[in-house]
Amino acid sequence: MRAAVDVGGTFTDVLVYDEKSRTLWSAKVPSDPWRPADPFLRGLQRALDSAGVGIDQVEQIAHGTTVVTNALLEGKVAKVGLLVTEGFRDLLEIGRQQRPYLYDLVQGRPPPLVPRNFVREVRERVDASGNIVIPLDEEQAVSQIRALVESGIDSLAVVLLFSFRNPEHEARLESLARRIAPDRPIFLSSKVLPEFREYERASTTVIAAAVAPKVTSYLDDIQRQLRSKGWERDGLVIMHSSGGSLPPEEAVVRPHTLVESGPAAGMIAASQVARILGLRRAIGFDMGGTTAKAGLLLDGQPRFATEYEVGGEVHHGGRVRGSGYPVRFPMIDVAECGAGAGSIAWIDAGGHLKVGPKSAGADPGPACYGKGGDNPTVTDAHLILGRLDPNLFLGGEMPLQLELAERAIRQRVAEPLGLSVEQAAQGILSIANATMIRILRVVSVARGHDPRDFTLIAYGGAGPLHATDLAEEMGIQMVIVPVLPGLFSALGLLYADMSADFVATIMRPLVTEALGVINETCNDLMAAAETWFARVDAEPSDRTVMLSADLRYQRQNYELNVGLPRHPLSQADVASIIQRFHEVHSATYGHSSPGETIQVVNLRVRAVRQMAKPEPQPLAPAREPAGAAPRRRGSLWFGGQLLECDEVSRADLQPGDEIEGPAVVREDGSTTVVNPGWRLTVDMSGNLLLQWHAARGKVRSHS
């Protein structure tokens, strides 16, 4: 028995899977922003009760969390002290020149996570080659550490110049600090991010220190409650941003890697669907209660980025640089915006209707929840337009109150704008869609891909509600709504392997003369991977190691990651890597420079411990004749028109069934809207395949 628990901003999703019977049981409960561990245990117990088993029969629990993201967005982080090389006290405040809006001359920047009075200089210096120029002044360092501890810091970050070349001084500072403050977590940049670029290294290390106390207390609370329920195993693993998982003891020393924990799990599940269905080009689209996320899938694999931005507009309004805090770590490349089912509709000072990024969350939630919320949300708009059945929300466990939704939209939107309630609700959905279109363009058009060549995989509680609207706008002609869309990220947790990433900066030209240094560095990284495999008890047959390099043309400022064919590398491999880099550069930027020298900036190793994957029972064969699923006629608003449509329960659908839009398919945890001009077909795995047969021109191949 294995379990997966995905704690989101609005709901907590739980799955329990029996590998022997290949059966899944599920639960969905409201999240608690104040005590996030409580719905974790409550939802898990509900799913276990459905399965009729005790928690002692569960061998592993995989967990995805938003605790890091929420802490950074809300500014609820620890008080961090920062030690830097003498002369570099303003490292965080200077940062980079990047701005989210190039021509806005009065835009503000987020305040540094460490105020200047908590940044202390230590006397030392290491040069770019790793040679000690000025030895560490330990007496002065002790004085600075004591000053920070006396000021009441919760954690300590140490970021010294060129420590990625020689970590000796950082290690000594850690030893001194542990004698002075043994109870404070300490993070060294040489361990958190042993790469060049001092600002990004400092930002990542500070983020780790800022969220560490909250992550530690949160995971301790979960493990304590699990033990109180009789679970004595060491099977808890935490999802990190690169699509793998870590044991809790690893997560607390790498807390910055949890920043996109939940969205990464959803992309892992979407990649599994893409591989099963043979989709070479797909876009995963996840819309939950708080945010919407999108990511590219090529040949069944998600794309990765080595740098991300957190705590700024990366979480709403597109991936602009300079609005938040950079964090470097290989993570699944996901664009995110503040357009979720709980996003609040409001009118700005100019009288324009806006939606998000602020969300009603789980408490009090949308107005229709009846928990005291009076702000109109996307969920309220769907209820007004008939897209949600008030008596079937969460399987009937949480009835929605139509009159409260109507009151909120009428008072806050319709009357101020001189609209009917239905027009206001349609306007809310249209603006939310426009916001989500931006992130779909970011992961497709902005990456040089034509979205019309892609299939949209829509999931999350609200993703299937908007999927056909978004697909029409993007020219996408095929939408897939997988099984369990409302619990899809939890399903991704069950598919995820355990993994860890290791990196080293070498700054060498990619020539045969540098093979000795390159292979020697790879040896060190491989040794670190082997140590990690032993720590997580990985069997030799379950181990996979992937090597890659961050490459750039000499004098370029940014790198592209290219996979390495084998280890150790030979002279013949150098030529193939060079050719591959030219191809990747051309595909990314539209040009390449074959005559330029290529530089190896970083070498990377990803260690993966393969985990067993769920194999749910296949569905029964289609009935004869197909298309006989029971349905009833209803009315829904589509584009400002009230149209008659079919309303079908997904539980009644079988492989081979077809439905012509307009229609709505209801299920526990999600609802799929089939726009006019779309045809829905159920495949043998139970996925809903929606095809836009009213589209102009020839339907493109999605193979």
Side-chain angles (χ1 to χ4, degrees):
M1 302 290 290
R2 296 167 57 197
V5 184
D6 177 40
V7 178
T10 306
F11 288 101
T12 293
D13 304 329
V14 183
L15 287 175
V16 170
Y17 176 64
D18 185 346
E19 291 185 353
K20 290 183 178 180
S21 66
R22 297 162 62 187
T23 306
L24 282 166
W25 293 271
S26 65
K28 197 178 188 80
V29 299
S31 295
D32 186 339
W34 317 114
R35 295 183 59 83
D38 288 355
F40 180 109
L41 271 296
R42 188 169 64 252
L44 178 59
Q45 189 60 56
R46 181 177 295 186
L48 292 171
D49 290 343
S50 299
V53 299
I55 195 171
D56 59 307
Q57 294 179 252
V58 177
E59 294 186 7
Q60 184 196 68
I61 301 175
H63 177 37
T65 177
T66 58
V67 64
V68 172
T69 300
N70 291 342
L72 292 167
L73 283 174
E74 297 167 7
K76 298 177 180 178
V77 295
K79 184 184 293 185
V80 179
L82 175 60
L83 294 177
V84 298
T85 299
E86 190 172 57
F88 287 80
R89 190 178 185 185
D90 298 313
L91 182 59
L92 292 180
E93 295 196 359
I94 294 174
R96 298 289 181 196
Q97 188 274 336
Q98 290 171 312
R99 294 180 295 168
Y101 304 106
L102 185 59
Y103 300 106
D104 184 352
L105 302 181
V106 295
Q107 62 190 282
R109 293 185 60 185
L113 287 175
V114 183
R116 196 171 188 273
N117 58 310
F118 286 104
V119 181
R120 296 298 178 115
E121 300 178 349
V122 293
R123 195 169 299 119
E124 67 85 39
R125 193 61 180 261
V126 174
D127 67 16
S129 299
N131 302 311
I132 295 177
V133 178
I134 301 176
L136 176 65
D137 187 335
E138 295 193 6
E139 183 178 348
Q140 185 254 3
V142 167
S143 174
Q144 298 287 46
I145 294 170
R146 290 191 186 280
L148 288 174
V149 172
E150 290 170 1
S151 67
I153 63 169
D154 301 309
S155 59
L156 179 68
V158 183
V159 183
L160 302 183
L161 200 63
F162 298 115
S163 62
F164 62 91
R165 289 289 198 195
N166 184 347
E168 180 181 332
H169 287 172
E170 285 197 354
R172 183 57 184 158
L173 286 172
E174 180 184 25
S175 178
L176 295 172
R178 292 208 183 281
R179 293 209 302 262
I180 298 170
D183 59 332
R184 306 296 206 285
I186 302 171
F187 290 86
L188 309 182
S189 70
S190 54
K191 292 182 179 179
V192 172
L193 186 68
E195 297 182 29
F196 90 121
R197 290 199 177 98
E198 63 273 20
Y199 171 60
E200 286 75 14
R201 182 158 48 88
S203 178
T204 304
T205 306
V206 164
I207 286 171
V211 300
K214 179 163 285 191
V215 169
T216 300
S217 63
Y218 172 68
L219 294 180
D220 285 347
D221 191 16
I222 287 176
Q223 293 179 93
R224 183 172 56 253
Q225 292 198 45
L226 286 172
R227 287 192 296 269
S228 71
K229 297 291 185 181
W231 200 62
E232 300 293 340
R233 301 178 186 267
D234 294 325
L236 180 65
V237 293
I238 315 301
M239 187 79 177
H240 59 69
S241 308
S242 65
S245 58
L246 290 169
E249 58 270 19
E250 295 271 348
V252 297
V253 298
R254 301 180 183 180
H256 61 290
T257 67
L258 308 183
V259 67
E260 289 291 340
S261 176
M267 288 298 293
I268 291 298
S271 65
Q272 184 76 5
V273 170
R275 285 194 294 270
I276 291 173
L277 297 181
L279 302 174
R280 295 188 59 195
R281 297 175 295 275
I283 298 173
F285 170 67
D286 176 8
M287 183 179 179
T290 307
T291 61
K293 287 79 66 175
L296 209 64
L297 298 164
L298 297 178
D299 295 320
Q301 298 294 332
R303 302 292 88 191
F304 287 85
T306 56
E307 184 176 330
Y308 208 61
E309 195 167 271
V310 298
E313 292 196 26
V314 66
H315 294 281
H316 54 86
R319 291 157 56 91
V320 291
R321 298 297 187 191
S323 67
Y325 309 104
V327 55
R328 284 184 66 86
F329 171 75
M331 61 183 70
I332 292 178
D333 190 7
V334 176
E336 186 173 359
C337 67
S343 294
I344 294 172
W346 52 286
I347 299 174
D348 67 10
H352 302 104
L353 178 61
K354 304 283 187 178
V355 178
K358 188 175 180 181
S359 173
D363 185 14
C368 60
Y369 282 11
K371 294 183 178 181
D374 57 0
N375 287 309
T377 66
V378 172
T379 296
D380 296 303
H382 279 298
L383 186 60
I384 293 294
L385 299 178
R387 298 178 171 215
L388 293 176
D389 189 319
N391 300 314
L392 297 179
F393 193 71
L394 288 187
E397 293 183 11
M398 188 176 172
L400 302 179
Q401 301 185 36
L402 179 61
E403 65 278 6
L404 295 181
E406 290 179 339
R407 181 192 307 167
I409 290 180
R410 179 182 298 108
Q411 293 179 352
R412 299 294 183 93
V413 179
E415 290 179 352
L417 296 179
L419 303 172
S420 68
V421 172
E422 291 78 14
Q423 288 173 325
Q426 184 61 59
I428 291 171
L429 297 188
S430 297
I431 292 174
N433 286 339
T435 302
M436 291 183 285
I437 286 293
R438 293 175 63 184
I439 63 170
L440 291 174
R441 291 186 182 279
V442 163
V443 300
S444 59
V445 177
R447 301 285 193 272
H449 298 283
D450 187 340
R452 294 173 296 178
D453 295 331
F454 284 73
T455 296
L456 188 69
I457 303 175
Y459 53 95
L465 279 166
H466 294 257
T468 49
D469 282 339
L470 299 176
E472 288 181 19
E473 183 68 25
M474 297 291 292
I476 296 173
Q477 299 173 19
M478 178 74 79
V479 171
I480 295 173
V481 179
V483 176
L484 298 173
L487 299 147
F488 204 60
S489 290
L491 186 61
L493 294 171
L494 293 177
Y495 282 121
D497 297 313
M498 296 184 71
S499 69
D501 292 272
F502 305 91
V503 62
T505 296
I506 64 168
M507 292 291 190
R508 292 290 194 278
L510 183 56
V511 293
T512 56
E513 291 78 7
L515 276 179
V517 174
I518 293 173
N519 285 329
E520 182 180 350
T521 305
C522 285
N523 284 338
D524 294 338
L525 295 175
M526 295 282 282
E530 289 299 320
T531 301
W532 179 81
F533 280 134
R535 194 160 58 241
V536 297
D537 298 322
E539 296 292 334
S541 60
D542 296 332
R543 300 180 180 186
T544 301
V545 176
M546 292 171 282
L547 288 84
S548 65
D550 295 340
L551 306 177
R552 67 183 183 185
Y553 290 124
Q554 199 85 31
R555 297 181 299 278
Q556 272 189 322
N557 201 30
Y558 294 99
E559 306 83 46
L560 294 172
N561 186 260
V562 175
L564 302 182
R566 64 182 59 84
H567 175 71
L569 297 174
S570 66
Q571 293 185 14
D573 293 327
V574 172
S576 66
I577 296 169
I578 289 174
Q579 179 60 34
R580 178 59 182 153
F581 174 74
H582 292 320
E583 294 171 356
V584 172
H585 195 283
S586 181
T588 304
Y589 298 114
H591 66 91
S592 62
S593 302
E596 287 284 344
T597 300
I598 297 173
Q599 186 180 42
V600 182
V601 178
N602 299 312
L603 292 169
R604 299 183 182 274
V605 164
R606 169 164 295 175
V608 179
R609 178 192 173 187
Q610 303 286 344
M611 306 294 290
K613 305 296 188 293
E615 296 181 6
Q617 289 279 12
L619 298 182
R623 66 172 71 82
E624 293 291 342
R631 62 192 72 184
R632 66 185 180 90
R633 298 294 288 177
S635 298
L636 268 74
W637 289 85
F638 290 92
Q641 301 181 58
L642 186 63
L643 302 178
E644 288 190 356
C645 69
D646 286 326
E647 296 188 27
V648 185
S649 169
R650 187 164 184 173
D652 293 329
L653 293 174
Q654 293 188 20
D657 284 350
E658 292 187 358
I659 299 174
E660 293 286 340
V664 60
V665 179
R666 307 192 189 281
E667 62 183 297
D668 293 353
S670 188
T671 298
T672 300
V673 170
V674 186
N675 275 5
W678 288 78
R679 178 187 295 117
L680 181 152
T681 305
V682 185
D683 73 3
M684 291 302 297
S685 298
N687 300 304
L688 306 184
L689 311 182
L690 289 78
Q691 188 164 5
W692 189 14
H693 61 83
R696 294 181 179 177
K698 183 180 179 180
V699 176
R700 293 172 178 241
S701 170
H702 295 271
S703 62

